Amino acid sequence: MKFTPKILPDLIKAVSGIIEKNAEEVTALDQAIGDGDHVTNLQRGIAALEKQSSELSELEWAPAIKKIGMTLLSTMGGASGSLFGTLFISMSQGVGDKIVIDQKGFADVFSQGVEAVKKRGKADAGEKTMLDVLIPVADRMKGDVDSAVEYSELLKNICQTAEQGMESTRDMLATKGRASYMQEKSIGHIDAGARTSQLMICAIVIVLNEM
Ligand code: ADP
Ligand code: MG
């Protein structure tokens, strides 16, 4: 499968819908071990992207992804705003002048974005953050692309890996972000950023699966 930015409005709509649907749950997660604002931060960013939807679909990949990152960075706020912003801005650098992106191209670019998030957050896997979803998804995608896993299987694995990563944060001790102030009390709660990352990834997978 090869994609152009024409798919962006559908993806943004799906992401917006899934976050809206799960907003209360995510707020409760961030209230338990953070300050409860994660979903409103994210919804502010997504609302800004919805306004830019048709404009984004007319751009080429690198400027479109860069614009998404800049918009998230300037509208979201919170730790997650700079991290999601960094993810997309770094991905746009990896895209270069590609007009269409295939599975392999996307897996490489996504991994590059996740590496930038690690640097920006000074964090790695196992610290109870969004990275516990992003890192395993990036690794799984690269592995599956390298071993030529069939497309629908690859999509299924992406969502499944995201769900496992999200679940894995429950038993972790938070060592980064606000949740780290809770120390041992952070154990037993799923990380809000891991949950929203998983929800968005699985919503995107559903759209791609139907195309
Ligand atoms: P804030 O923590 O500033 O209130 P949000 O509530 O919007 O920001 O986002 C919190 C989420 O950001 C956490 O659930 C976690 O997934 C993620 N996060 C926080 N700090 C880091 C970090 N250093 N590295 C990676 N992710 C982080
Ligand atoms: Mg918060």
Side-chain angles (χ1 to χ4, degrees):
M1 274 287 210
K2 290 186 165 71
F3 294 112
T4 73
K6 295 273 181 250
I7 64 167
L8 286 171
D10 283 343
L11 300 185
I12 292 167
K13 197 166 154 230
V15 161
S16 171
I18 200 75
I19 294 302
E20 177 77 47
K21 197 169 151 209
N22 293 276
E24 276 179 37
E25 182 215 306
V26 176
T27 295
L29 293 177
D30 196 35
Q31 274 168 347
I33 55 172
D35 56 357
D37 64 348
H38 178 58
V39 124
T40 47
N41 290 339
L42 186 54
Q43 285 183 312
R44 210 163 37 241
I46 295 170
L49 293 182
E50 282 183 304
K51 286 206 187 98
Q52 297 171 352
S53 225
S54 64
E55 193 188 332
L56 288 168
S57 73
E58 298 300 325
L59 296 173
E60 288 186 359
W61 273 122
I65 297 176
K66 182 168 179 196
K67 195 172 171 70
I68 290 172
M70 300 296 280
T71 298
L72 295 178
L73 201 61
S74 63
T75 59
M76 275 185 67
S80 59
S82 79
L83 296 166
F84 284 139
T86 297
L87 175 70
F88 286 97
I89 291 166
S90 167
M91 281 172 67
S92 81
Q93 289 158 358
V95 167
D97 55 6
K98 285 191 194 78
I99 292 174
V100 290
I101 301 187
D102 61 6
Q103 285 106 282
K104 162 126 185 63
F106 187 78
D108 288 343
V109 161
F110 186 71
S111 288
Q112 180 172 336
V114 174
E115 279 306 312
V117 174
K118 283 164 72 173
K119 280 210 190 84
R120 176 81 194 213
K122 298 188 178 61
D124 212 326
E127 300 201 82
K128 201 182 184 88
T129 71
M130 58 173 72
L131 284 167
D132 292 303
V133 169
L134 302 179
I135 292 171
V137 165
D139 291 349
R140 182 69 194 241
M141 233 189 301
K142 273 196 128 177
D144 279 2
V145 165
D146 285 347
S147 45
V149 169
E150 199 230 327
Y151 182 63
S152 63
E153 191 70 13
L154 182 127
L155 287 178
K156 203 173 86 191
N157 291 344
I158 289 173
C159 177
Q160 212 171 63
T161 304
E163 284 170 350
Q164 284 163 1
M166 176 272 291
E167 274 296 337
S168 77
T169 65
R170 190 191 301 274
D171 296 331
M172 288 177 186
L173 175 76
T175 47
K176 289 281 149 53
R178 282 181 200 281
S180 64
Y181 310 151
M182 302 279 294
Q183 301 188 348
E184 272 75 24
K185 288 195 188 118
S186 68
I187 297 173
H189 302 277
I190 287 170
D191 173 64
R195 177 67 168 144
T196 56
S197 297
Q198 172 267 316
L199 286 168
M200 294 190 281
I201 287 168
C202 291
I204 288 170
V205 159
I206 290 172
V207 176
L208 296 182
N209 210 15
E210 286 166 354
M211 278 178 168

